[in-house]
Amino acid sequence: MISILRSIWLVFLHALHRRVTVQYPEQAIRRPPRFRGRIILSRDPDGGERCVACYLCAAACPVDCIALQAAQDEHGRRYPAFFRINFSRCIFCGFCEDACPTYAIQLTPDFEMSEARRQEMVYEKEDLTISGPGKYPGYNFYRVAGLAIAGKGKGQAENEQPPSDPKTLLP
Amino acid sequence: MSPTAVYLVTIFGLLIAVFTLSAGLIWYERRLLALFQDRYGPNRVGPFGLLQSVADIVKIFFKEDWVPPFADKPVFVIAPAVIIVATLMSFGVVAFAPGVMVSDLNVGLLFFLAMSSMGAYGVALAGWSSNNKYSLLGGLRAAAQVISYEVFMGLSLMGVVMMAGSFNLVRIVQAQERMWFFLPQLVGMAVFMVAGFAETFRIPFDLPEAENELVAGFHTEYSGMKFAFFFLGEYIGISLVSAMLVILFFGGWLGPVLPPLAWFFIKTFIFISFFILVRGSLPRPRFDQLMAYGWKVMLPLSLANLVVTAGILLWRRS
Ligand code: SF4
Ligand code: SF4
């Protein structure tokens, strides 16, 4: 009997507590920096596309919502001819970001991407690519990779020594 | 105005007031429950979400009004109406303020008790005619619950009747001029309140519709306006029991400064809020616990109250 009255009283006291509801559209909600939301494709610090069209993200994606086509420019640098993410299928698991060797594909804290028509949930490369480097400001894949590319020969990458000449070992 | 016109104005005014108030109560309950649970509740439609009930009503009008093919059709259709009619009839004898009432019946209290039992028919018939095991179980529970709780609901009020010397609700209020009856009749009030929860099938005594065991109990098969009738009936029932509590134990319209009608509504609203608070705090008992509680605790308590009140009254008179 006492416990019943006590629980009624305790519930009544909750009328004086602060409400926990966040009034979402008017009141901004806090999202941590690693929140997994809308996916973007980032660029190198010097403005080139980071994506090397390796297909790793497409292979990692559990729902197969990434479609891309590899191409090569005149310097042998790979890039995606098209890059398409179907956000009506994406489950925002972040596996693509984990798989990417170049930090090109990244998930951002934006999640307000509702559309009236389903076709508009398919984002093309132009919709995905942003102007900056995203979460990894200093990183430039071609500057740390061993591959010779326009403006950077063998052995000119960061932390790389010039290739040794095996002929010097000859007697 | 002629007496007939006054009559009609009171009746229709009352009908409109009760219906709008009960619809508004749905909003009020949701906001208040939210307050007790640290949330906001419906606050989007109109100022403070006040138009939520209007939106709900519009929506429910456009819902399909479906009668299942396996149901007992005439009874199925009548059942929700029985509930509404029975609860509204009781409002006919409620004394809001001096002169503001539909019928100054000399056995008003008995009429209220009779009509509140009629409401149980609506629930039992709804459960029966739905031809659905969950509905049937809900109807059975409702019948058993109402029969047991009605017994001491009536008995708990006899103390008040003895002190006022009348079944007439106006006379009962007038008898509280010197002291509101909840002081000498504390036990009677407690018992009546518990019985009131049971009669209106409110949590913690909402076993007939216990949604986690019986889907939705007696109104599982109902949709559209018929469902709305059950819903509205429940809220009218809450207002009715609160109004009766005020009349029988808390001096009805009596109070200083403010006009009588205002006092009546303030007091009634306090009890409606209490109903909602209890809904927010107590879990539902098992059915055997409910029965044991009724017959083994409440009945003896109300009988003891009756005997003691009668004894004291006789002793004072001699
Ligand atoms: S977040 Fe997951 S589901 Fe979405 S594109 Fe990346 S791998 Fe696919
Ligand atoms: S986004 Fe990353 S993982 Fe996907 S194809 Fe481009 S470089 Fe490869």
Side-chain angles (χ1 to χ4, degrees):
Chain A
M1 188 64 211
I2 298 298
S3 71
I4 288 176
L5 293 178
R6 183 169 165 272
S7 50
I8 293 177
W9 172 245
L10 287 180
V11 170
F12 176 72
L13 286 185
H14 267 271
L16 311 173
H17 286 205
R18 208 170 57 83
R19 312 197 198 215
V20 293
T21 313
V22 179
Q23 300 272 51
Y24 158 60
E26 293 92 39
Q27 212 175 326
I29 58 172
R30 209 198 83 83
R31 280 154 294 160
R34 288 204 239 169
F35 186 97
R36 299 198 305 264
R38 183 166 58 85
I39 298 173
I40 51 109
L41 286 174
S42 58
R43 287 180 186 274
D44 282 339
D46 48 20
E49 275 174 52
R50 264 183 180 157
C51 176
V52 296
C54 66
Y55 294 102
L56 283 179
C57 51
C61 181
V63 293
D64 272 349
C65 68
I66 302 181
L68 72 150
Q69 172 72 59
Q72 238 173 19
D73 67 4
E74 61 272 26
H75 308 295
R77 181 171 167 148
R78 284 167 64 97
Y79 68 95
F82 68 79
F83 197 108
R84 193 174 288 147
I85 298 183
N86 181 354
F87 279 112
S88 65
R89 286 178 130 206
C90 175
I91 55 171
F92 299 99
C93 60
F95 285 3
C96 48
E97 181 172 1
D98 277 353
C100 182
T102 66
Y103 292 148
I105 193 164
Q106 295 176 10
L107 278 77
T108 62
D110 177 25
F111 62 93
E112 294 162 325
M113 40 196 308
S114 51
E115 298 282 356
R117 296 194 309 130
R118 186 167 287 202
Q119 278 76 9
E120 283 163 12
M121 299 296 289
V122 178
Y123 281 43
E124 294 293 340
K125 191 169 138 187
E126 305 80 68
D127 310 319
L128 294 166
T129 313
I130 60 165
S131 57
K135 286 186 266 192
Y136 304 94
Y139 183 77
N140 187 335
F141 175 70
Y142 281 106
R143 294 284 147 224
V144 293
L147 190 70
I149 207 80
K152 189 205 82 172
K154 273 270 182 228
Q156 290 177 350
E158 287 162 28
N159 305 325
E160 196 183 21
Q161 286 162 2
S164 48
D165 182 3
K167 294 203 174 106
T168 56
L169 295 174
L170 285 176
Chain B
M1 270 197 290
S2 67
T4 329
V6 175
Y7 235 22
L8 286 179
V9 166
T10 333
I11 289 175
F12 281 102
L14 185 68
L15 266 182
I16 292 167
V18 167
F19 269 113
T20 41
L21 218 72
S22 313
L25 269 187
I26 297 172
W27 169 83
Y28 182 68
E29 164 153 42
R30 292 178 61 191
R31 286 305 302 253
L32 207 61
L33 272 180
L35 180 70
F36 294 135
Q37 295 167 354
D38 303 345
R39 318 178 269 119
Y40 281 97
N43 62 350
R44 297 277 154 176
V45 196
F48 305 108
L50 261 171
L51 299 180
Q52 181 69 45
S53 292
V54 181
D56 287 346
I57 289 169
V58 169
K59 188 182 92 173
I60 219 151
F61 265 119
F62 287 104
K63 290 266 180 189
E64 186 184 0
D65 191 6
W66 191 64
V67 180
F70 46 81
D72 183 350
K73 196 167 177 209
V75 185
F76 189 84
V77 174
I78 287 171
V82 169
I83 290 193
I84 290 271
V85 169
T87 35
L88 278 179
M89 289 282 265
S90 304
F91 267 101
V93 294
V94 170
F96 294 95
V100 187
M101 62 191 302
V102 176
S103 161
D104 191 359
L105 208 58
N106 59 352
V107 287
L109 191 55
L110 290 183
F111 185 80
F112 158 73
L113 288 174
M115 279 303 141
S116 75
S117 344
M118 283 292 288
Y121 277 98
V123 177
L125 288 179
W128 174 254
S129 64
S130 295
N131 245 336
N132 167 326
K133 59 187 169 193
Y134 297 115
S135 305
L136 181 61
L137 280 173
L140 277 177
R141 284 182 176 189
Q145 179 173 326
V146 167
I147 287 172
S148 355
Y149 276 66
E150 203 147 75
V151 174
F152 55 82
M153 184 178 208
L155 281 176
S156 67
L157 297 181
M158 288 312 121
V160 170
V161 173
M162 276 190 284
M163 291 185 70
S166 170
F167 277 114
N168 183 322
L169 294 177
V170 177
R171 294 271 294 281
I172 290 177
V173 174
Q174 281 162 353
Q176 301 179 57
E177 214 92 83
R178 279 192 301 122
M179 178 170 52
W180 293 357
F181 282 160
F182 81 95
L183 281 175
Q185 287 293 318
L186 198 58
V187 178
M189 188 207 69
V191 173
F192 178 73
M193 202 179 241
V194 172
F197 277 105
E199 289 280 314
T200 48
F201 306 119
R202 290 283 298 180
I203 290 173
F205 296 128
D206 68 334
L207 282 111
E209 51 172 296
E211 67 274 355
N212 34 15
E213 338 167 7
L214 297 184
V215 190
F218 61 91
H219 59 56
T220 308
E221 298 289 351
Y222 283 87
S223 63
M225 273 319 281
K226 297 202 191 72
F227 170 75
F229 264 40
F230 281 117
F231 218 63
L232 219 56
E234 179 179 332
Y235 285 92
I236 298 176
I238 298 169
S239 333
L240 180 66
V241 172
S242 307
M244 287 316 268
L245 263 169
V246 168
I247 290 176
L248 296 170
F249 296 101
F250 290 87
W253 63 76
L254 301 174
V257 191
L258 292 175
L261 210 54
W263 271 114
F264 187 84
F265 278 112
I266 291 170
K267 290 177 189 172
T268 309
F269 250 88
I270 291 174
F271 283 102
I272 291 176
S273 309
F274 183 70
F275 263 75
I276 294 168
L277 171 61
V278 169
R279 176 182 175 177
S281 32
L282 296 185
R284 182 187 300 135
R286 257 184 1 240
F287 199 72
D288 61 317
Q289 290 171 333
L290 176 91
M291 282 296 168
Y293 190 61
W295 289 107
K296 291 184 188 161
V297 181
M298 292 321 229
L299 184 64
L301 214 59
S302 55
L303 279 174
N305 179 49
L306 183 69
V307 171
V308 170
T309 313
I312 291 178
L313 280 179
L314 280 178
W315 174 68
R316 285 237 304 254
R317 198 177 299 167
S318 58

